[in-house]
Amino acid sequence: MANMCGLMVATVLKLLFLRALYPAWFHVRRTDPAAVQPEADPVEEPVAYIPLHMAGE
């Protein structure tokens, strides 16, 4: 019985208390989603594939 109660208390602490403790301890601030500017999509350059039998030449 004590094991089960201990697991329940640990779960509650993990889900509630530790989630609130992390931002307080590391000074994490919540950002406003409207203030964050989206990053530009990087242009991907095509990759040149070299067949394995030609790679050593």
Side-chain angles (χ1 to χ4, degrees):
M1 181 69 177
N3 287 338
M4 192 165 65
C5 292
L7 288 173
M8 289 190 316
V9 169
T11 302
V12 169
L13 285 176
K14 182 178 179 181
L15 293 176
L16 300 176
F17 180 70
L18 291 180
R19 290 181 68 177
L21 183 64
Y22 178 82
W25 186 266
F26 291 106
H27 305 289
V28 177
R29 296 184 189 267
R30 189 177 287 184
T31 58
D32 183 16
V36 177
Q37 296 181 4
E39 297 179 15
D41 292 333
V43 177
E44 293 185 20
E45 298 180 15
V47 178
Y49 292 102
I50 301 172
L52 290 178
H53 68 279
M54 297 177 63
E57 295 178 3

Short mmCIF file of all heavy atoms in Angstrom, two decimals:
data_model
loop_
_atom_site.label_atom_id
_atom_site.label_comp_id
_atom_site.label_asym_id
_atom_site.label_seq_id
_atom_site.Cartn_x
_atom_site.Cartn_y
_atom_site.Cartn_z
N MET A 1 0.83 -1.19 0.00
CA MET A 1 0.00 0.00 0.00
C MET A 1 0.87 1.26 0.00
O MET A 1 0.57 2.22 -0.67
CB MET A 1 -0.93 -0.03 1.22
CG MET A 1 -1.86 1.14 1.31
SD MET A 1 -3.07 1.04 0.00
CE MET A 1 -4.04 2.44 0.39
N ALA A 2 1.95 1.23 0.78
CA ALA A 2 2.82 2.40 0.86
C ALA A 2 3.52 2.65 -0.48
O ALA A 2 3.72 3.80 -0.87
CB ALA A 2 3.84 2.22 1.97
N ASN A 3 3.87 1.56 -1.18
CA ASN A 3 4.50 1.72 -2.49
C ASN A 3 3.56 2.40 -3.47
O ASN A 3 3.98 3.27 -4.24
CB ASN A 3 4.92 0.36 -3.05
CG ASN A 3 6.12 -0.20 -2.32
OD1 ASN A 3 6.86 0.54 -1.71
ND2 ASN A 3 6.27 -1.51 -2.39
N MET A 4 2.32 2.01 -3.47
CA MET A 4 1.35 2.58 -4.39
C MET A 4 1.11 4.05 -4.08
O MET A 4 1.04 4.88 -4.98
CB MET A 4 0.03 1.81 -4.32
CG MET A 4 -0.92 2.15 -5.44
SD MET A 4 -2.26 0.99 -5.61
CE MET A 4 -3.13 1.24 -4.09
N CYS A 5 1.03 4.41 -2.81
CA CYS A 5 0.85 5.82 -2.43
C CYS A 5 2.08 6.64 -2.80
O CYS A 5 1.95 7.77 -3.27
CB CYS A 5 0.56 5.94 -0.94
SG CYS A 5 -1.03 5.26 -0.47
N GLY A 6 3.24 6.07 -2.62
CA GLY A 6 4.47 6.76 -2.98
C GLY A 6 4.56 7.02 -4.47
O GLY A 6 4.97 8.09 -4.91
N LEU A 7 4.13 6.04 -5.27
CA LEU A 7 4.13 6.22 -6.72
C LEU A 7 3.12 7.28 -7.14
O LEU A 7 3.38 8.07 -8.06
CB LEU A 7 3.83 4.90 -7.41
CG LEU A 7 4.96 3.88 -7.37
CD1 LEU A 7 4.48 2.55 -7.95
CD2 LEU A 7 6.16 4.39 -8.15
N MET A 8 1.97 7.31 -6.50
CA MET A 8 0.96 8.32 -6.83
C MET A 8 1.45 9.72 -6.47
O MET A 8 1.29 10.66 -7.25
CB MET A 8 -0.36 8.01 -6.14
CG MET A 8 -1.06 6.79 -6.71
SD MET A 8 -2.75 6.50 -6.16
CE MET A 8 -2.69 6.78 -4.42
N VAL A 9 2.07 9.87 -5.32
CA VAL A 9 2.60 11.17 -4.91
C VAL A 9 3.72 11.60 -5.87
O VAL A 9 3.77 12.76 -6.28
CB VAL A 9 3.09 11.12 -3.46
CG1 VAL A 9 3.88 12.37 -3.10
CG2 VAL A 9 1.91 10.96 -2.52
N ALA A 10 4.59 10.70 -6.23
CA ALA A 10 5.67 11.02 -7.15
C ALA A 10 5.13 11.43 -8.51
O ALA A 10 5.65 12.36 -9.14
CB ALA A 10 6.61 9.82 -7.30
N THR A 11 4.09 10.79 -8.97
CA THR A 11 3.47 11.14 -10.25
C THR A 11 2.87 12.53 -10.20
O THR A 11 3.04 13.33 -11.12
CB THR A 11 2.40 10.10 -10.63
OG1 THR A 11 3.03 8.81 -10.70
CG2 THR A 11 1.77 10.43 -11.96
N VAL A 12 2.16 12.83 -9.13
CA VAL A 12 1.55 14.16 -8.99
C VAL A 12 2.64 15.23 -8.93
O VAL A 12 2.53 16.28 -9.58
CB VAL A 12 0.64 14.21 -7.75
CG1 VAL A 12 0.22 15.62 -7.43
CG2 VAL A 12 -0.57 13.33 -7.96
N LEU A 13 3.71 14.97 -8.19
CA LEU A 13 4.80 15.94 -8.12
C LEU A 13 5.43 16.16 -9.49
O LEU A 13 5.74 17.28 -9.87
CB LEU A 13 5.86 15.47 -7.12
CG LEU A 13 5.51 15.61 -5.65
CD1 LEU A 13 6.62 15.01 -4.80
CD2 LEU A 13 5.28 17.06 -5.29
N LYS A 14 5.61 15.08 -10.21
CA LYS A 14 6.24 15.19 -11.53
C LYS A 14 5.36 15.96 -12.50
O LYS A 14 5.84 16.79 -13.25
CB LYS A 14 6.54 13.79 -12.08
CG LYS A 14 7.25 13.81 -13.40
CD LYS A 14 7.55 12.42 -13.86
CE LYS A 14 8.25 12.45 -15.21
NZ LYS A 14 8.55 11.12 -15.69
N LEU A 15 4.08 15.68 -12.48
CA LEU A 15 3.18 16.30 -13.45
C LEU A 15 2.86 17.75 -13.12
O LEU A 15 2.64 18.56 -14.02
CB LEU A 15 1.89 15.49 -13.56
CG LEU A 15 2.04 14.10 -14.17
CD1 LEU A 15 0.71 13.38 -14.14
CD2 LEU A 15 2.56 14.20 -15.59
N LEU A 16 2.82 18.11 -11.86
CA LEU A 16 2.40 19.46 -11.49
C LEU A 16 3.56 20.31 -10.99
O LEU A 16 3.84 21.38 -11.53
CB LEU A 16 1.31 19.38 -10.42
CG LEU A 16 0.04 18.63 -10.82
CD1 LEU A 16 -0.90 18.56 -9.65
CD2 LEU A 16 -0.62 19.31 -12.01
N PHE A 17 4.21 19.87 -9.95
CA PHE A 17 5.20 20.69 -9.27
C PHE A 17 6.46 20.91 -10.11
O PHE A 17 6.94 22.03 -10.25
CB PHE A 17 5.55 20.05 -7.92
CG PHE A 17 6.58 20.82 -7.15
CD1 PHE A 17 6.26 22.05 -6.59
CD2 PHE A 17 7.86 20.33 -7.00
CE1 PHE A 17 7.21 22.77 -5.88
CE2 PHE A 17 8.80 21.03 -6.29
CZ PHE A 17 8.47 22.25 -5.73
N LEU A 18 7.01 19.84 -10.67
CA LEU A 18 8.26 19.98 -11.39
C LEU A 18 8.09 20.75 -12.70
O LEU A 18 9.01 21.43 -13.15
CB LEU A 18 8.87 18.60 -11.67
CG LEU A 18 9.38 17.87 -10.43
CD1 LEU A 18 9.95 16.52 -10.81
CD2 LEU A 18 10.42 18.70 -9.71
N ARG A 19 6.91 20.69 -13.30
CA ARG A 19 6.66 21.48 -14.51
C ARG A 19 6.67 22.96 -14.20
O ARG A 19 7.06 23.78 -15.02
CB ARG A 19 5.32 21.09 -15.13
CG ARG A 19 5.34 19.70 -15.73
CD ARG A 19 4.03 19.36 -16.34
NE ARG A 19 3.82 20.21 -17.50
CZ ARG A 19 2.77 20.12 -18.28
NH1 ARG A 19 1.84 19.24 -18.03
NH2 ARG A 19 2.64 20.91 -19.31
N ALA A 20 6.24 23.35 -13.01
CA ALA A 20 6.26 24.75 -12.62
C ALA A 20 7.61 25.15 -12.06
O ALA A 20 8.01 26.32 -12.15
CB ALA A 20 5.18 25.00 -11.57
N LEU A 21 8.36 24.20 -11.52
CA LEU A 21 9.66 24.51 -10.93
C LEU A 21 10.72 24.81 -11.98
O LEU A 21 11.55 25.69 -11.79
CB LEU A 21 10.12 23.34 -10.05
CG LEU A 21 11.42 23.53 -9.29
CD1 LEU A 21 11.26 24.64 -8.28
CD2 LEU A 21 11.80 22.24 -8.60
N TYR A 22 10.68 24.12 -13.10
CA TYR A 22 11.71 24.30 -14.14
C TYR A 22 11.78 25.74 -14.65
O TYR A 22 12.87 26.33 -14.65
CB TYR A 22 11.45 23.33 -15.30
CG TYR A 22 12.43 23.50 -16.44
CD1 TYR A 22 13.69 22.91 -16.37
CD2 TYR A 22 12.12 24.27 -17.55
CE1 TYR A 22 14.60 23.07 -17.40
CE2 TYR A 22 13.03 24.43 -18.57
CZ TYR A 22 14.26 23.83 -18.50
OH TYR A 22 15.16 24.00 -19.51
N PRO A 23 10.68 26.38 -15.10
CA PRO A 23 10.80 27.77 -15.56
C PRO A 23 11.20 28.73 -14.46
O PRO A 23 11.91 29.71 -14.70
CB PRO A 23 9.41 28.12 -16.09
CG PRO A 23 8.64 26.88 -16.13
CD PRO A 23 9.36 25.86 -15.31
N ALA A 24 10.78 28.47 -13.23
CA ALA A 24 11.14 29.35 -12.13
C ALA A 24 12.64 29.25 -11.83
O ALA A 24 13.30 30.25 -11.56
CB ALA A 24 10.33 29.01 -10.89
N TRP A 25 13.19 28.05 -11.88
CA TRP A 25 14.59 27.84 -11.54
C TRP A 25 15.52 28.38 -12.63
O TRP A 25 16.53 29.00 -12.35
CB TRP A 25 14.83 26.35 -11.34
CG TRP A 25 16.21 26.03 -10.86
CD1 TRP A 25 17.28 25.70 -11.62
CD2 TRP A 25 16.65 26.03 -9.50
NE1 TRP A 25 18.37 25.48 -10.83
CE2 TRP A 25 18.02 25.67 -9.51
CE3 TRP A 25 16.04 26.27 -8.28
CZ2 TRP A 25 18.76 25.56 -8.36
CZ3 TRP A 25 16.79 26.15 -7.14
CH2 TRP A 25 18.13 25.81 -7.18
N PHE A 26 15.17 28.15 -13.91
CA PHE A 26 16.04 28.54 -15.02
C PHE A 26 15.63 29.87 -15.65
O PHE A 26 16.15 30.24 -16.70
CB PHE A 26 16.07 27.44 -16.07
CG PHE A 26 16.78 26.21 -15.60
CD1 PHE A 26 16.07 25.07 -15.26
CD2 PHE A 26 18.15 26.17 -15.47
CE1 PHE A 26 16.71 23.93 -14.82
CE2 PHE A 26 18.80 25.04 -15.02
CZ PHE A 26 18.08 23.92 -14.69
N HIS A 27 14.72 30.58 -15.03
CA HIS A 27 14.28 31.91 -15.48
C HIS A 27 13.79 31.89 -16.94
O HIS A 27 14.17 32.73 -17.74
CB HIS A 27 15.39 32.94 -15.31
CG HIS A 27 15.91 33.01 -13.92
ND1 HIS A 27 15.17 33.55 -12.89
CD2 HIS A 27 17.08 32.61 -13.37
CE1 HIS A 27 15.87 33.48 -11.78
NE2 HIS A 27 17.03 32.91 -12.03
N VAL A 28 12.99 30.89 -17.26
CA VAL A 28 12.42 30.79 -18.60
C VAL A 28 11.18 31.67 -18.64
O VAL A 28 10.32 31.59 -17.78
CB VAL A 28 12.05 29.32 -18.92
CG1 VAL A 28 11.38 29.21 -20.27
CG2 VAL A 28 13.29 28.46 -18.86
N ARG A 29 11.10 32.51 -19.65
CA ARG A 29 9.95 33.39 -19.79
C ARG A 29 9.07 32.91 -20.94
O ARG A 29 9.55 32.43 -21.96
CB ARG A 29 10.39 34.82 -20.05
CG ARG A 29 11.16 35.39 -18.90
CD ARG A 29 11.49 36.84 -19.16
NE ARG A 29 12.40 37.34 -18.15
CZ ARG A 29 12.01 37.96 -17.05
NH1 ARG A 29 10.75 38.16 -16.83
NH2 ARG A 29 12.89 38.38 -16.18
N ARG A 30 7.79 33.07 -20.77
CA ARG A 30 6.84 32.68 -21.80
C ARG A 30 6.84 33.77 -22.87
O ARG A 30 6.74 34.95 -22.58
CB ARG A 30 5.44 32.53 -21.20
CG ARG A 30 4.46 31.91 -22.16
CD ARG A 30 3.14 31.71 -21.49
NE ARG A 30 3.26 30.60 -20.54
CZ ARG A 30 2.24 30.14 -19.84
NH1 ARG A 30 1.07 30.69 -19.94
NH2 ARG A 30 2.41 29.14 -19.01
N THR A 31 6.95 33.37 -24.13
CA THR A 31 6.96 34.34 -25.22
C THR A 31 5.56 34.49 -25.80
O THR A 31 4.77 33.55 -25.80
CB THR A 31 7.92 33.90 -26.33
OG1 THR A 31 7.53 32.62 -26.81
CG2 THR A 31 9.35 33.83 -25.82
N ASP A 32 5.30 35.67 -26.31
CA ASP A 32 4.03 35.95 -26.96
C ASP A 32 4.10 35.41 -28.39
O ASP A 32 4.97 35.80 -29.16
CB ASP A 32 3.78 37.46 -26.99
CG ASP A 32 2.44 37.82 -27.58
OD1 ASP A 32 1.58 36.92 -27.69
OD2 ASP A 32 2.25 39.00 -27.92
N PRO A 33 3.21 34.49 -28.77
CA PRO A 33 3.28 33.91 -30.12
C PRO A 33 3.13 34.96 -31.22
O PRO A 33 3.67 34.80 -32.30
CB PRO A 33 2.13 32.91 -30.16
CG PRO A 33 1.75 32.67 -28.76
CD PRO A 33 2.16 33.88 -27.98
N ALA A 34 2.42 36.04 -30.96
CA ALA A 34 2.24 37.08 -31.97
C ALA A 34 3.53 37.88 -32.16
O ALA A 34 3.77 38.45 -33.23
CB ALA A 34 1.10 38.00 -31.58
N ALA A 35 4.37 37.95 -31.14
CA ALA A 35 5.60 38.74 -31.22
C ALA A 35 6.74 37.98 -31.89
O ALA A 35 7.70 38.59 -32.35
CB ALA A 35 6.03 39.16 -29.82
N VAL A 36 6.63 36.67 -31.98
CA VAL A 36 7.69 35.87 -32.58
C VAL A 36 7.53 35.92 -34.09
O VAL A 36 6.48 35.60 -34.63
CB VAL A 36 7.62 34.41 -32.08
CG1 VAL A 36 8.67 33.56 -32.77
CG2 VAL A 36 7.79 34.37 -30.58
N GLN A 37 8.60 36.31 -34.77
CA GLN A 37 8.55 36.38 -36.22
C GLN A 37 8.96 35.03 -36.79
O GLN A 37 9.94 34.44 -36.36
CB GLN A 37 9.48 37.46 -36.73
CG GLN A 37 9.06 38.85 -36.28
CD GLN A 37 9.99 39.91 -36.82
OE1 GLN A 37 10.89 39.63 -37.60
NE2 GLN A 37 9.75 41.15 -36.41
N PRO A 38 8.21 34.55 -37.77
CA PRO A 38 8.56 33.25 -38.35
C PRO A 38 9.87 33.35 -39.12
O PRO A 38 10.17 34.36 -39.75
CB PRO A 38 7.39 32.94 -39.28
CG PRO A 38 6.78 34.27 -39.59
CD PRO A 38 7.04 35.13 -38.39
N GLU A 39 10.65 32.29 -39.03
CA GLU A 39 11.92 32.26 -39.75
C GLU A 39 11.66 31.96 -41.21
O GLU A 39 10.71 31.27 -41.57
CB GLU A 39 12.82 31.18 -39.15
CG GLU A 39 13.21 31.43 -37.72
CD GLU A 39 14.09 30.32 -37.18
OE1 GLU A 39 14.62 29.53 -37.98
OE2 GLU A 39 14.23 30.25 -35.96
N ALA A 40 12.51 32.50 -42.05
CA ALA A 40 12.38 32.24 -43.48
C ALA A 40 12.74 30.79 -43.76
O ALA A 40 13.65 30.23 -43.15
CB ALA A 40 13.30 33.17 -44.27
N ASP A 41 12.02 30.18 -44.68
CA ASP A 41 12.31 28.79 -45.04
C ASP A 41 13.64 28.75 -45.79
O ASP A 41 13.83 29.45 -46.78
CB ASP A 41 11.21 28.21 -45.92
CG ASP A 41 9.91 28.04 -45.16
OD1 ASP A 41 9.98 27.88 -43.93
OD2 ASP A 41 8.84 28.06 -45.78
N PRO A 42 14.56 27.91 -45.34
CA PRO A 42 15.83 27.82 -46.05
C PRO A 42 15.64 27.13 -47.39
O PRO A 42 14.83 26.21 -47.53
CB PRO A 42 16.70 26.98 -45.11
CG PRO A 42 15.74 26.21 -44.29
CD PRO A 42 14.50 27.08 -44.18
N VAL A 43 16.34 27.61 -48.36
CA VAL A 43 16.27 27.02 -49.69
C VAL A 43 17.19 25.82 -49.71
O VAL A 43 18.38 25.93 -49.45
CB VAL A 43 16.68 28.04 -50.77
CG1 VAL A 43 16.65 27.40 -52.15
CG2 VAL A 43 15.78 29.26 -50.71
N GLU A 44 16.62 24.69 -50.00
CA GLU A 44 17.42 23.48 -50.03
C GLU A 44 18.02 23.30 -51.41
O GLU A 44 17.33 23.37 -52.42
CB GLU A 44 16.56 22.26 -49.67
CG GLU A 44 16.08 22.28 -48.24
CD GLU A 44 15.34 21.01 -47.88
OE1 GLU A 44 15.53 20.00 -48.57
OE2 GLU A 44 14.60 21.04 -46.90
N GLU A 45 19.33 23.09 -51.43
CA GLU A 45 20.01 22.85 -52.69
C GLU A 45 19.93 21.37 -53.01
O GLU A 45 19.95 20.53 -52.11
CB GLU A 45 21.46 23.29 -52.59
CG GLU A 45 21.61 24.78 -52.32
CD GLU A 45 23.07 25.18 -52.23
OE1 GLU A 45 23.94 24.39 -52.64
OE2 GLU A 45 23.30 26.29 -51.75
N PRO A 46 19.82 21.05 -54.28
CA PRO A 46 19.75 19.62 -54.63
C PRO A 46 21.04 18.91 -54.27
O PRO A 46 22.13 19.47 -54.34
CB PRO A 46 19.53 19.64 -56.15
CG PRO A 46 19.95 20.98 -56.59
CD PRO A 46 19.76 21.91 -55.43
N VAL A 47 20.91 17.68 -53.85
CA VAL A 47 22.06 16.88 -53.44
C VAL A 47 22.50 16.04 -54.63
O VAL A 47 21.67 15.41 -55.29
CB VAL A 47 21.69 15.97 -52.25
CG1 VAL A 47 22.86 15.09 -51.85
CG2 VAL A 47 21.21 16.81 -51.09
N ALA A 48 23.78 16.07 -54.91
CA ALA A 48 24.31 15.26 -56.01
C ALA A 48 24.64 13.88 -55.46
O ALA A 48 25.46 13.74 -54.56
CB ALA A 48 25.55 15.92 -56.59
N TYR A 49 23.98 12.88 -55.98
CA TYR A 49 24.22 11.51 -55.56
C TYR A 49 25.24 10.87 -56.48
O TYR A 49 25.14 10.93 -57.70
CB TYR A 49 22.92 10.71 -55.57
CG TYR A 49 21.94 11.16 -54.52
CD1 TYR A 49 20.85 11.96 -54.85
CD2 TYR A 49 22.12 10.81 -53.20
CE1 TYR A 49 19.97 12.39 -53.87
CE2 TYR A 49 21.25 11.23 -52.23
CZ TYR A 49 20.17 12.01 -52.57
OH TYR A 49 19.31 12.44 -51.62
N ILE A 50 26.25 10.26 -55.86
CA ILE A 50 27.28 9.59 -56.63
C ILE A 50 27.11 8.09 -56.40
O ILE A 50 27.10 7.64 -55.25
CB ILE A 50 28.68 10.02 -56.18
CG1 ILE A 50 28.84 11.52 -56.34
CG2 ILE A 50 29.76 9.28 -56.94
CD1 ILE A 50 30.11 12.07 -55.75
N PRO A 51 26.97 7.30 -57.46
CA PRO A 51 26.86 5.85 -57.27
C PRO A 51 28.10 5.31 -56.58
O PRO A 51 29.21 5.82 -56.77
CB PRO A 51 26.76 5.30 -58.70
CG PRO A 51 26.32 6.47 -59.53
CD PRO A 51 26.85 7.69 -58.86
N LEU A 52 27.92 4.30 -55.74
CA LEU A 52 29.02 3.77 -54.94
C LEU A 52 30.16 3.22 -55.79
O LEU A 52 31.32 3.35 -55.44
CB LEU A 52 28.50 2.69 -53.99
CG LEU A 52 27.63 3.18 -52.84
CD1 LEU A 52 27.15 2.01 -52.02
CD2 LEU A 52 28.40 4.15 -51.97
N HIS A 53 29.85 2.64 -56.96
CA HIS A 53 30.93 2.07 -57.76
C HIS A 53 31.77 3.16 -58.40
O HIS A 53 32.89 2.93 -58.82
CB HIS A 53 30.38 1.12 -58.83
CG HIS A 53 29.60 1.79 -59.91
ND1 HIS A 53 28.28 2.15 -59.74
CD2 HIS A 53 29.95 2.20 -61.16
CE1 HIS A 53 27.85 2.73 -60.86
NE2 HIS A 53 28.84 2.77 -61.71
N MET A 54 31.28 4.41 -58.44
CA MET A 54 32.04 5.52 -59.02
C MET A 54 32.68 6.40 -57.94
O MET A 54 33.47 7.28 -58.24
CB MET A 54 31.14 6.38 -59.90
CG MET A 54 30.58 5.66 -61.11
SD MET A 54 29.46 6.68 -62.05
CE MET A 54 30.54 7.98 -62.59
N ALA A 55 32.34 6.18 -56.67
CA ALA A 55 32.81 7.05 -55.61
C ALA A 55 34.31 6.95 -55.38
O ALA A 55 34.95 7.92 -55.01
CB ALA A 55 32.07 6.72 -54.31
N GLY A 56 34.90 5.80 -55.63
CA GLY A 56 36.33 5.63 -55.40
C GLY A 56 37.18 6.10 -56.55
O GLY A 56 38.40 6.18 -56.44
N GLU A 57 36.60 6.42 -57.65
CA GLU A 57 37.39 6.81 -58.85
C GLU A 57 37.84 8.23 -58.78
O GLU A 57 37.29 9.11 -58.26
CB GLU A 57 36.58 6.58 -60.11
CG GLU A 57 36.28 5.12 -60.32
CD GLU A 57 35.41 4.88 -61.56
OE1 GLU A 57 35.10 5.85 -62.27
OE2 GLU A 57 35.06 3.74 -61.78
#
